[in-house]
């Protein structure tokens, strides 16, 4: 790899759970929404973990750990639910030959300076510019292993390449680590949903568009909640989806507190019409959100945050249903 400059964002809000052992792949194949048995060392996938009622307890990125015995899978999940998720998964191991645990790895988001995705980051002061050997541009969900660690190519709304870098060491000096909000805004613009502690057991996979963006396999076999997820798919009964919206005037609102917060339709103020999935403040003050909406409301609703008179949420046209 050629060493050149790029923008790197520390992501302490993400953690890694590892499943290792002879039955690790089979065990997670029976727990997650996607076909993880099809993964090789060069591919990752998006997946969800559901309750028996089909509601998501986590969304995650899954890949095979670089290992000579090829029996370990790793899951990138939100830190605030990692311990609870690990405990719940461990309840179902029973006699399977698999060991689950948190792996003390450092997670970074990285955008090469040559990528179209770097245009936004270059305008920010929060990402730290570094000299580092980036992998060449590839398709999203490609995995590359090198001396830095494991690189996973993340989806990007504007094209180009951006990466999660999962490493055993801190890529940035602690003193130079910048704010990660531009990376989280990029996740939102790409339609990549993260279930957090505040939104566990709230959404089915289709509400978060996991079926549209490659996070659900309808041919892999059983997993918790599979009947509910499949019924919604085959009967065409999905009435709620996730969209990207922005609020250009939301003073004093901390994006970190918004997951699970209600949204309202200003035209029908009596009851909430949806919830916030993820939120991030851009450095220019714009609030970006992924939010649950009723499909019937898309063309007519006056979406508002927290109340019918709260900040206006403007749906981003052209990205209404990611993956469509």
């Amino acid at each position: 790899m050629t060493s050149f400059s790029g923008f790197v964002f520390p992501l302490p809000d993400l953690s890694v759970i590892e499943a290792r052992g002879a039955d690790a792949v089979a065990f997670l194949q029976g727990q997650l929404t996607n076909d993880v048995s099809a993964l090789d060392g060069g591919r990752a996938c998006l997946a969800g973990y559901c309750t028996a009622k089909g509601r998501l307890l986590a969304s995650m990125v899954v890949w095979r750990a670089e290992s000579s015995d090829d029996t370990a899978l790793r899951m990138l999940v939100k830190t605030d639910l990692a311990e609870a998720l690990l405990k719940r998964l461990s309840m179902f191991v029973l006699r399977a030959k698999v060991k689950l645990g948190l792996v003390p790895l450092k997670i970074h988001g990285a955008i090469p300076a040559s990528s179209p995705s770097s245009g936004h980051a270059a305008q920010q002061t929060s990402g730290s510019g570094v000299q580092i050997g980036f992998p060449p541009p590839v398709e999203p969900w490609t995995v590359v292993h090198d001396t830095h660690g494991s690189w996973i190519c993340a989806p990007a709304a504007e094209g180009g390449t951006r990466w999660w870098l999962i490493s055993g060491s801190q890529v940035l000096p602690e003193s130079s680590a910048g704010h990660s909000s531009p990376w989280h805004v990029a996740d939102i613009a790409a339609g990549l949903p993260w279930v957090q502690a505040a939104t566990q057991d709230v959404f089915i996979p289709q509400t978060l568009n996991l079926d549209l963006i490659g996070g659900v396999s309808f041919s892999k076999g059983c997993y918790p909640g599979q009947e509910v997820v499949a019924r919604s798919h085959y009967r065409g009964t999905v009435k709620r989806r996730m969209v990207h919206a922005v609020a250009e005037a939301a003073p004093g609102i901390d994006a970190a507190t918004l997951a699970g917060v209600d949204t309202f339709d200003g035209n029908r103020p009596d009851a909430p019409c949806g919830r916030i999935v993820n939120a991030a403040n851009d450095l220019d003050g714009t609030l970006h959100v992924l939010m649950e909406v009723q499909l019937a409301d898309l063309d007519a609703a006056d979406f508002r945050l927290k109340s019918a008179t709260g900040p206006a949420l403007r749906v981003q046209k052209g990205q209404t249903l990611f993956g469509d």
Side-chain angles (χ1 to χ4, degrees), residues 104-126:
L105 296 171
K106 301 291 186 181
I107 317 300
H108 297 82
I111 304 177
S114 59
S115 170
S117 303
S118 69
H120 180 72
Q123 299 171 15
Q124 313 297 325
T125 58
S126 63

Side-chain angles (χ1 to χ4, degrees), residues 96-264:
K97 296 178 180 179
V98 56
K99 184 177 181 180
L100 298 170
L102 284 165
V103 186
L105 296 171
K106 301 291 186 181
I107 317 300
H108 297 82
I111 304 177
S114 59
S115 170
S117 303
S118 69
H120 180 72
Q123 299 171 15
Q124 313 297 325
T125 58
S126 63
S128 295
V130 296
Q131 290 290 125
I132 189 170
F134 283 81
V138 292
E139 293 294 318
W141 307 113
T142 300
V143 179
V144 177
H145 303 287
D146 70 3
T147 55
H148 292 297
S150 296
W151 299 78
I152 303 175
C153 189
E158 67 278 15
T161 306
R162 63 187 191 113
W163 302 87
W164 291 288
L165 172 57
I166 299 94
S167 176
S169 60
Q170 185 78 21
V171 173
L172 297 173
E174 293 289 348
S175 60
S176 68
H179 200 277
S180 57
S181 60
W183 180 268
H184 295 141
V185 169
D187 276 352
I188 287 170
L192 181 66
W194 289 99
V195 174
Q196 301 171 226
T199 54
Q200 286 187 298
D201 201 11
V202 173
F203 305 112
I204 66 170
Q206 285 96 329
T207 300
L208 301 194
N209 300 346
L210 290 193
D211 57 324
L212 302 180
I213 57 177
V216 179
S217 169
F218 292 101
S219 60
K220 66 173 288 280
C222 294
Y223 55 87
Q226 183 263 342
E227 290 185 4
V228 176
V229 176
R231 189 182 309 121
S232 296
H233 174 71
Y234 290 113
R235 292 184 179 179
T237 56
V238 178
K239 296 181 179 180
R240 291 178 175 269
R241 288 287 188 178
M242 182 186 72
V243 298
H244 173 202
V246 299
E248 295 177 353
I253 292 181
D254 180 6
T257 66
L258 292 182
V261 166
D262 289 335
T263 59
F264 288 78

Side-chain angles (χ1 to χ4, degrees), residues 49-57 88 200-202 223-226 228-229:
Y49 179 55
C50 297
T51 68
K53 294 182 178 180
R55 296 190 179 273
L56 286 162
L57 293 174
R88 185 178 178 94
Q200 286 187 298
D201 201 11
V202 173
Y223 55 87
Q226 183 263 342
V228 176
V229 176

